[in-house]
């Protein structure tokens, strides 16, 4: 299973919504780029080290659901109706517009069907995707475990930008660009660097705190295993109400009384900012705080404020995705920024933009290799033959032929008053350090859903 920490905050929120019983408001929107189907000679179809990603061509058949001689319909899952975050929709608009301007996939234009779950309507939207789409590409949902059996029952391939639940991470017919596996500690490299190299004095006093929901508790438990494997001792373990805390001072006092030196935080970055302000108020400074990648936003920097940022030491592991802040050193990262400026001016470019783009690129390359006879079987098998996928240079190499594999590359960022910046983590492969230990987890955690779980086999895929 691939790593799923990018949506720690959404998991905590989702747990509350499930308890409250949100109403069914329904709805699926189709997003078709205005420029689709028009090839323009000036469009550069290369992306980083990927050549001719999209191209003109002539097709003669309709070999699969969602595929005609003129177009390919793909689904994009999002919780935008609840979160108001457009990141997956913007990525779909930008990629499909660029690709269609370059000729599409062998002349077939890409059409993105947006499936807005509004957080709780995953199964309803999956039913629509099963009815209409060729595949799912470049999206994600906080409650993705609700739809995975339905997706496998209709044999719908998935190229997600992110996975959240353990049941969905590396489930059947899924090709994910997220590094990591549910059998291994995904942040073993980060914890080894923190506890054995950067801040060895903190190893004897590590704290854990997370939102009080089932999924987040699992992530905290997995992180605790990783800390212990790196030689750390956990001396503080606490939960806070998933709805949030109005007064973080008691938690700050407890952390101080336990003399915690390093803290792993699993929850909303808005809550972490308040905790750090409370810690700073009582003049307690930790050696480090693992803010988790949901805090890798300018909004966290702004919300936390200069005083707390100067006092506390926030770190996060981007797990081998090139940082936005160093775009001028990486052509692939810069190209995403340039394409957004052209096709979605004003839209925010975030870490999720790069994950989504890598997913779209993997799908496009795989689909193009199938030519006129584009089938689900062909596109899925083509994607799983990629043994060193980088998304054209957006991320460290990833072997798509192996689902159950540990993370090998990582890159650490630190939060400063001037924004996020690379830490001195001794990279040994470009922007990354690729010597993370393989730490196998021993806890009893949920497993990914397989084709066998819904009475199917890979032979059923056509």
């Amino acid at each position: 299973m691939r790593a799923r920490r990018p949506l720690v905050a959404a998991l905590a929120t989702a747990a509350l919504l499930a308890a409250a019983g949100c109403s069914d408001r329904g709805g699926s929107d189709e997003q078709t780029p205005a420029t689709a189907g028009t090839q323009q000679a000036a469009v550069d179809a290369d992306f980083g080290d990927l050549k001719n990603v999209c191209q003109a061509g002539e097709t003669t058949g309709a070999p699969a659901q969602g595929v005609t001689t003129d177009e390919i319909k793909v689904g994009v899952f999002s919780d935008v109706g609840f979160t108001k975050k457009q990141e997956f929709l913007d990525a779909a608009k930008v990629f499909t517009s660029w690709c269609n301007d370059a000729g599409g996939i062998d002349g077939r234009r890409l059409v993105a069907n947006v499936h807005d779950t509004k957080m709780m309507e995953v199964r309803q939207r999956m039913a629509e995707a099963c009815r209409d789409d060729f595949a799912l590409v470049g999206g994600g949902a906080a409650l993705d475990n609700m739809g995975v059996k339905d997706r496998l029952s209709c044999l719908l391939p998935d190229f997600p930008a992110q996975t959240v639940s353990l049941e969905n991470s590396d489930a059947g017919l899924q090709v994910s660009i997220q590094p990591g596996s549910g059998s291994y500690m995904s942040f073993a490299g980060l914890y080894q660097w923190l506890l054995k190299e950067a801040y060895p004095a903190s190893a004897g006093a590590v704290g854990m705190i997370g939102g009080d929901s089932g999924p987040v508790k699992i992530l905290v438990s997995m992180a605790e295993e990783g800390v212990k494997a790196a030689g750390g001792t956990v001396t503080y373990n606490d939960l806070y109400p998933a709805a949030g805390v109005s007064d973080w001072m008691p938690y700050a006092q407890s952390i101080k009384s336990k003399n915690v030196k390093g803290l792993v935080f699993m929850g909303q970055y808005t809550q972490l900012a308040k905790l750090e302000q409370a810690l700073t108020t009582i003049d307690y400074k930790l050696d480090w705080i693992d803010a988790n990648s949901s805090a890798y936003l300018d909004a966290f920097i702004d919300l936390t404020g200069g005083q707390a940022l100067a006092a506390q030491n926030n770190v996060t592991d981007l797990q081998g995705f090139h940082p936005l802040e160093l775009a001028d050193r990486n052509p692939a990262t810069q190209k995403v920024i340039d394409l957004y400026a052209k096709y979605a001016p004003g839209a925010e470019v975030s870490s999720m933009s790069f994950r989504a783009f890598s997913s779209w690129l993997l799908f496009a390359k795989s689909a193009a290799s199938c030519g006129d006879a584009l089938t689900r079987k062909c596109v899925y098998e083509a994607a799983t033959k990629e043994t060193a996928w980088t998304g054209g240079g957006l991320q460290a190499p990833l072997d798509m032929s192996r689902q159950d594999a540990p993370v090998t590359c990582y890159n650490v960022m630190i939060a400063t008053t001037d924004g996020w910046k690379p830490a001195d983590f001794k990279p040994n492969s470009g922007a990354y350090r690729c010597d993370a230990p393989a730490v196998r987890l021993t806890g009893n955690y949920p497993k990914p859903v397989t084709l066998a779980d819904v009475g199917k086999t890979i032979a059923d895929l056509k």
Side-chain angles (χ1 to χ4, degrees):
M1 286 172 286
R2 307 294 184 197
R4 53 245 134 237
R5 200 161 59 155
L7 258 194
V8 171
L11 282 170
T13 304
L16 285 175
L17 289 172
C22 291
S23 62
D24 179 7
R25 295 186 296 275
S28 178
D29 301 311
E30 182 173 293
Q31 174 182 325
T32 304
T35 56
T38 303
Q39 185 183 8
Q40 299 175 0
V43 173
D44 179 7
D46 295 343
F47 188 97
D49 59 16
L50 296 174
K51 305 302 179 184
N52 201 30
V53 173
C54 302
Q55 62 292 122
E58 293 185 7
T59 54
T60 60
Q65 175 182 295
V67 180
T68 69
T69 56
D70 300 320
E71 65 183 23
I72 305 168
K73 290 184 178 181
V74 295
V76 180
F77 266 70
S78 170
D79 298 325
V80 64
F82 177 80
T83 65
K84 310 306 178 186
K85 293 183 177 180
Q86 291 273 134
E87 50 203 2
F88 297 145
L89 279 63
D90 290 337
K93 176 183 178 181
V94 172
F95 185 88
T96 57
S97 297
W98 168 64
C99 187
N100 289 335
D101 276 356
I105 305 297
D106 288 318
R108 292 183 172 113
R109 69 190 184 104
L110 289 173
V111 177
N113 291 333
V114 175
H115 300 290
D116 179 7
T117 73
K118 301 179 176 69
M119 191 64 78
M120 296 298 295
E121 301 171 14
V122 177
R123 294 198 68 188
Q124 294 93 318
R125 302 292 81 75
M126 191 62 73
E128 295 162 356
C130 283
R131 180 192 66 207
D132 298 330
D133 298 333
F134 173 65
L136 301 179
V137 183
L143 296 175
D144 56 10
N145 60 312
M146 294 173 62
V148 63
K149 286 188 175 181
D150 296 330
R151 179 180 66 78
L152 289 177
S153 294
C154 74
L155 298 169
L156 185 63
D158 185 21
F159 294 73
Q162 71 168 13
T163 55
V164 179
S165 69
L166 293 170
E167 294 90 339
N168 185 49
S169 299
D170 272 350
L173 300 185
Q174 184 183 93
V175 191
S176 174
I177 49 78
Q178 289 186 189
S181 161
S183 298
Y184 296 90
M185 179 61 220
S186 294
F187 301 94
L190 171 66
Y191 295 146
Q192 176 176 264
W193 175 73
L194 285 170
L195 298 176
K196 292 185 176 180
E197 298 181 28
Y199 309 99
S202 70
V206 179
M208 319 283 296
I209 186 168
D212 190 3
S213 73
V216 176
K217 288 178 183 179
I218 290 173
L219 296 183
V220 170
S221 179
M222 295 171 76
E224 185 171 355
E225 280 199 52
V227 166
K228 290 178 178 178
T233 300
V234 176
T235 59
Y236 170 82
N237 201 323
D238 205 352
L239 296 170
Y240 70 87
V245 177
S246 58
D247 181 12
W248 276 95
M249 192 58 70
Y251 294 89
Q253 294 285 4
S254 182
I255 290 170
K256 182 176 181 178
S257 70
K258 295 287 187 179
N259 197 33
V260 175
K261 298 299 183 184
L263 182 68
V264 177
F265 183 87
M266 294 284 188
Q268 306 101 317
Y269 72 85
T270 54
Q271 297 299 307
L272 176 58
K274 294 177 182 178
L275 171 59
E276 294 191 17
Q277 289 162 0
L279 287 166
T280 303
T281 297
I282 62 174
D283 196 28
Y284 190 71
K285 180 179 180 180
L286 294 119
D287 290 349
W288 56 267
I289 298 174
D290 176 10
N292 83 68
S293 56
S294 68
Y296 179 55
L297 298 166
D298 289 340
F300 172 71
I301 301 294
D302 296 337
L303 188 61
T304 305
Q307 184 178 5
L309 286 172
Q312 308 302 331
N313 183 27
N314 290 280
V315 302
T316 191
D317 178 11
L318 300 187
Q319 291 192 297
F321 276 86
H322 200 278
L324 170 64
E325 291 79 7
L326 301 182
D328 59 345
R329 305 181 191 178
N330 191 47
T333 305
Q334 186 60 52
K335 179 141 188 174
V336 172
I337 295 172
D338 294 342
L339 290 174
Y340 266 66
K342 179 177 181 180
Y343 293 108
E348 180 183 8
V349 182
S350 69
S351 61
M352 280 298 162
S353 307
F354 301 114
R355 292 174 182 264
F357 240 76
S358 188
S359 297
W360 278 104
L361 288 161
L362 179 60
F363 172 79
K365 182 182 178 184
S366 303
S369 73
C370 298
D372 192 14
L374 177 57
T375 63
R376 289 174 170 176
K377 177 181 175 67
C378 180
V379 74
Y380 174 73
E381 290 182 345
T384 57
K385 291 177 182 177
E386 295 286 346
T387 58
W389 179 256
T390 67
L394 291 175
Q395 61 185 110
L398 194 62
D399 187 352
M400 296 298 174
S401 69
R402 297 181 61 197
Q403 286 191 314
D404 191 18
V407 173
T408 56
C409 298
Y410 62 102
N411 50 322
V412 186
M413 303 290 285
I414 59 173
T416 75
T417 54
D418 294 324
W420 286 95
K421 298 182 182 299
D424 184 17
F425 64 100
K426 299 181 175 60
N428 58 16
S429 181
Y432 317 111
R433 181 168 172 175
C434 297
D435 61 359
V439 176
R440 184 173 284 276
L441 295 167
T442 60
N444 185 22
Y445 305 117
K447 303 299 182 184
V449 180
T450 67
L451 283 168
D453 291 329
V454 296
K456 302 283 188 180
T457 70
I458 194 64
D460 294 314
L461 184 64
K462 306 299 180 183

